[in-house]
Amino acid sequence: MNIHEYQAKELFRKYDVLVPEGHVAHNASQALSIAEQIDGERWVVKAQIHAGGRGKGGGVKVTDQVEEVGQLADQLIGAPLVTPQTGPNGRTVHRVLIEQAQDIAHEYYLSLLIDRASQRITVIASDAGGMDIEQVAANTPDKIVREAIDPAIGLQDFQCRKIANGIGLRSKQIHALTGMLKRLYRCFRDSDAQLLEINPLARLDNGKLVALDAKMNFDDNALFRHPDITDLRDFDEEDPKEVDASGHDLSYIALDGDVGCIVNGAGLAMATMDAISYYGGMPANFLDVGGGASPEKIANAFRIVLEDPHVKSVMLNIFAGINRCDWIAEGIVQAIRDQHIATPVIVRLAGTNVEQGKAILADSGLNYIEANKLDDAARKAVAAAKGENA
Ligand code: GDP
Ligand code: MN
């Protein structure tokens, strides 16, 4: 799960990690009154969306006129913001962060993440901050410092000094970075984070090190331990179909194609998507209904898949072990009948109670296309999406 920059900065404050003075605003008048309460001569208005590259997309504005803060907030809120990470349609901005502007001497990159190879929380830092870190890694890999943390002893002083030296910090700031890194490590570990990224980490004209940007991402499987973090979830940033699906215990991920998929098991769902691509089609989604799916769950899966207006055919691929083909078939009949589905539905059933399942479908008198094997089903689903006869 992702959170907004202002939420990550609030979490940083709890761990005494230095961030600029600031507060979130939902409209122009809030933005102005927040700016009036913040000391300083310049203010930053930052669009809050779950995507980076906001600076490049015009989502970060600086002004030295406090009266202008309201107008800048007004321009951003309610409008879509397109950045290199949002795709061409952008994301609608619902909130802005109002901050005291900082006088930046230098921008560094700093992150903590779980390195799956070493299975350790790893610090990544660079002297080349403020820009795309993937690009820095590709063009100038020597500008990147990595340090893996041993979970039994935690982050050590010598490692902090190594990181600080690696990005070219001097005496006083080495000490400051050591303190900051230790607090960030605790923040990361205590919250079961997967990623904590500060880009840029700024060295100010006065020598202080401040987190100017903040991005955090948490392990969904650990959220049950963190109700306070779970509360930070912003449904505006998620695909409504994905939110709907998770409420019905369905793993659904929207994709760009036109062949809808309803499958049991993540592995079979991936294989189904591969087969669709192999026959020249494009899957419209990933969907795993899981084990022991009830007829209602299958009907909900149809409803969610067909909410995507691009879907031209639906491929149902069930290899029932824990599942029961008769329940699946009842769900298909319910869906086609109650939702008045006119989109071609391709059904491949195998495994537990397959004969009962096929009989339920045949007796229903409804329109569907039967398939026997995975590739037969994929071929028919792709053809149906193209309006051809399979
Ligand atoms: P991102 O583009 O989504 O990663 O948003 P950032 O929070 O990183 O902001 C983009 C850029 O805006 C930063 O790299 C800074 O150069 C600039 N910026 C952000 N806050 C300040 C500030 O307080 N003062 C100044 N001068 N520039 C800032
Ligand atoms: Mn940034």
Side-chain angles (χ1 to χ4, degrees), residues 5 44 46 52-55 60 100-102 104 107 199-200 212-213:
E5 172 192 11
V44 191
K46 306 183 78 176
R54 294 164 301 163
V60 179
Q100 180 191 68
Q102 310 295 309
I104 307 167
E107 297 191 347
N199 189 22
L212 270 202
D213 192 5

Side-chain angles (χ1 to χ4, degrees), residues 53-184:
R54 294 164 301 163
K56 281 184 191 139
V60 179
K61 314 260 192 208
V62 184
T63 177
D64 56 6
Q65 306 292 316
V66 75
E67 319 81 64
E68 221 179 73
V69 168
Q71 294 156 28
L72 291 172
D74 205 37
Q75 283 166 20
L76 290 171
I77 294 172
L81 177 65
V82 181
T83 84
Q85 294 182 17
T86 57
N89 295 329
R91 294 269 185 88
T92 305
V93 178
H94 295 285
R95 328 168 185 194
V96 291
L97 172 61
I98 310 301
E99 280 187 339
Q100 180 191 68
Q102 310 295 309
D103 297 317
I104 307 167
H106 190 83
E107 297 191 347
Y108 303 91
Y109 174 91
L110 180 65
S111 67
L112 279 81
L113 49 82
I114 295 177
D115 173 31
R116 308 216 173 262
S118 63
Q119 301 182 354
R120 290 184 171 192
I121 298 173
T122 299
V123 179
I124 294 180
S126 176
D127 165 57
M131 49 190 106
D132 193 359
I133 193 67
E134 283 82 7
Q135 220 167 322
V136 178
N139 300 336
T140 47
D142 52 305
K143 278 196 174 269
I144 293 187
V145 187
R146 295 173 66 101
E147 197 63 31
I149 303 169
D150 184 333
I153 55 172
L155 180 62
Q156 299 293 294
D157 280 16
F158 80 90
Q159 295 183 295
C160 298
R161 285 196 293 273
K162 213 163 123 187
I163 295 162
N165 280 318
I167 62 173
L169 292 179
R170 306 260 177 83
S171 54
K172 237 177 153 177
Q173 279 119 23
I174 297 179
H175 188 69
L177 186 74
T178 302
M180 185 185 253
L181 279 172
K182 290 196 169 176
R183 294 190 288 269
L184 287 171

Side-chain angles (χ1 to χ4, degrees), residues 3 20 36 78 90 161 181 195-196 210-211 226 234 247 269 292 294 317 324 333 335 347 350 374 380:
I3 59 173
E36 284 167 347
R161 285 196 293 273
L181 279 172
L195 172 72
L196 182 165
V210 179
H226 305 286
D234 180 359
S294 63
N317 185 19
R324 300 172 41 162
V333 170
V347 181
L374 166 63
K380 286 176 173 165

Side-chain angles (χ1 to χ4, degrees), residues 160-288:
C160 298
R161 285 196 293 273
K162 213 163 123 187
I163 295 162
N165 280 318
I167 62 173
L169 292 179
R170 306 260 177 83
S171 54
K172 237 177 153 177
Q173 279 119 23
I174 297 179
H175 188 69
L177 186 74
T178 302
M180 185 185 253
L181 279 172
K182 290 196 169 176
R183 294 190 288 269
L184 287 171
Y185 173 61
R186 269 201 291 127
C187 173
F188 187 101
R189 192 200 52 194
D190 291 358
S191 59
D192 288 307
Q194 282 176 325
L195 172 72
L196 182 165
E197 187 178 65
I198 302 174
N199 189 22
L201 169 70
R203 174 162 54 79
L204 305 183
D205 287 345
N206 65 14
K208 285 188 175 155
L209 290 178
V210 179
L212 270 202
D213 192 5
K215 175 179 171 155
M216 282 192 85
N217 179 300
F218 303 93
D219 181 351
D220 290 341
N221 294 316
L223 282 176
F224 73 96
R225 308 204 282 203
H226 305 286
D228 46 337
I229 292 171
T230 310
D231 283 346
L232 302 179
R233 183 165 173 192
D234 180 359
F235 291 103
D236 283 339
E237 292 287 331
E238 297 178 31
D239 185 318
K241 296 194 293 303
E242 294 182 11
V243 175
D244 186 358
S246 73
H248 290 98
D249 205 18
L250 295 161
S251 311
Y252 170 93
I253 297 168
L255 299 168
D256 295 331
D258 56 8
V259 182
C261 306
I262 300 175
V263 189
N264 71 301
L268 189 60
M270 302 287 272
T272 302
M273 287 158 52
D274 283 348
I276 289 167
S277 302
Y278 180 79
Y279 285 106
M282 284 260 283
N285 64 275
F286 167 97
L287 198 164
D288 172 12

